[in-house]
Amino acid sequence: MKYWDTITERVPKQKIEWPDGKRLAVMVAFDYQAEVGPRFMADGKTPHMGQITEYSYGGRVGIWRILDIMDRQGFRGTFNTVGVLADLYPDSVKAIVDRGHEIAGHSYDHVAQWNLSEKDEREQIRNTVAAIKNLTGQQIKGWRCPTVQPSPNTIRLLAEEGFLWDSNFLNDDKPYMLQVDGRELVEIPYTFSTDDFPFIYGSPRYEVGGHPAVRNIPRHLFEVQKDEFDILYKESVDDPKMFIFQTHPEVTGRAHRAKYFEMLLAHIKSHEGIWITTLSEVAEWWIKKKY
């Protein structure tokens, strides 16, 4: 199957294995953008202060609540981070690295990456790499586009810029290789079905302050995420797989939702044979094993 003419996938034909005989790789991922991005009312000019301040909660409060929960539960995560946050919220961006988590890229200023010229998209990638490295000393290895929507050039550009993994596709319970112009990139898919933002809010609306009324309550999201984990864990006894779920500090970082986030981590941790890991560690293992 081809996504675009220059990209093909390689799915492993052999049974995979995880380090130390673990049966299920568990990755907790975050898209950290706070209020960065174009947020206007329907006229396209008036700043949408409801959305701006709702999102800024993630940078002011939510990120710290999530980091504390991850510490308490002994989890490491991957934080896909907008480059400009190195200037807006440098303390939290540094804390991600200082507390032992992976930091990855999520564009520089949360624009529609799919709509950029190749030149502008490459600049977005390079600016993000530089901003995060200048602040934290870390060279990011992975990337997720805003709204997980790459352009026809994204995968090739990431490969050319030396990235290890991409996480924009939604089509598997295991990683797989993307091959583009003689280079390779590990694709680590996830799913919208366990993502907090679409489940809780749906798509933002502009005619009201903030976001539309909550569509689902956090307890129901917890049940969906728990069911996804439980089924994958059961299946992985004979066929090792991965469980990856995605949250946002402005959503899950709210107090009443964070309660269920911590409950989910505790549930996962109670199982044997779990590899709690990061996307880069999974990608490095995948390459090492030549899957």
Side-chain angles (χ1 to χ4, degrees), residues 32-227:
Y32 184 27
Q33 68 254 14
E35 67 268 34
V36 177
R39 309 196 190 284
F40 300 101
M41 299 297 288
D43 62 6
K45 296 181 292 185
T46 305
H48 195 312
M49 297 308 296
Q51 287 193 8
I52 290 168
T53 55
E54 178 78 11
Y55 277 86
S56 72
Y57 184 90
R60 295 165 66 92
V61 181
I63 185 66
W64 297 107
R65 183 172 286 126
I66 283 173
L67 287 170
D68 288 345
I69 290 171
M70 297 286 279
D71 282 350
R72 285 198 297 270
Q73 294 298 324
F75 273 71
R76 292 178 303 128
T78 296
F79 289 77
N80 306 308
T81 303
V82 168
V84 76
L85 293 191
D87 291 324
L88 290 179
Y89 296 105
D91 289 346
S92 63
V93 173
K94 287 191 291 186
I96 288 168
V97 174
D98 291 345
R99 296 200 193 188
H101 303 289
E102 175 183 15
I103 193 164
H106 191 45
S107 81
Y108 183 72
D109 51 6
H110 211 257
V111 297
Q113 191 168 335
W114 59 269
N115 201 31
L116 296 176
S117 68
E118 180 173 339
K119 177 179 178 294
D120 288 344
E121 186 174 10
R122 192 185 296 275
E123 185 175 337
Q124 277 274 325
I125 294 169
R126 289 181 173 178
N127 287 345
T128 305
V129 170
I132 292 174
K133 187 172 185 178
N134 288 342
L135 178 68
T136 68
Q138 297 294 305
Q139 178 77 28
I140 61 174
K141 300 178 181 178
W143 192 269
R144 177 174 290 149
C145 298
T147 67
V148 293
Q149 182 56 59
S151 79
N153 299 313
T154 301
I155 301 301
R156 176 176 55 81
L157 291 175
L158 292 175
E160 289 175 357
E161 295 296 318
F163 279 74
L164 178 66
W165 58 266
D166 171 80
S167 185
N168 281 304
F169 300 149
L170 313 170
N171 54 359
D172 213 311
D173 295 326
K174 301 174 185 176
Y176 55 87
M177 298 301 300
L178 294 176
Q179 299 169 310
V180 50
D181 291 350
R183 296 180 174 89
E184 291 190 326
L185 203 66
V186 181
E187 178 62 35
I188 305 179
Y190 88 113
T191 171
F192 279 139
S193 62
T194 55
D195 189 316
D196 61 351
F197 194 101
F199 192 92
I200 296 296
Y201 283 132
S203 298
R205 289 193 330 212
Y206 295 99
E207 67 271 22
V208 296
H211 294 286
V214 171
R215 301 192 310 167
N216 293 289
I217 61 176
R219 183 175 69 253
H220 292 164
L221 176 60
F222 165 74
E223 291 170 356
V224 169
Q225 293 168 333
K226 178 179 177 294
D227 286 348

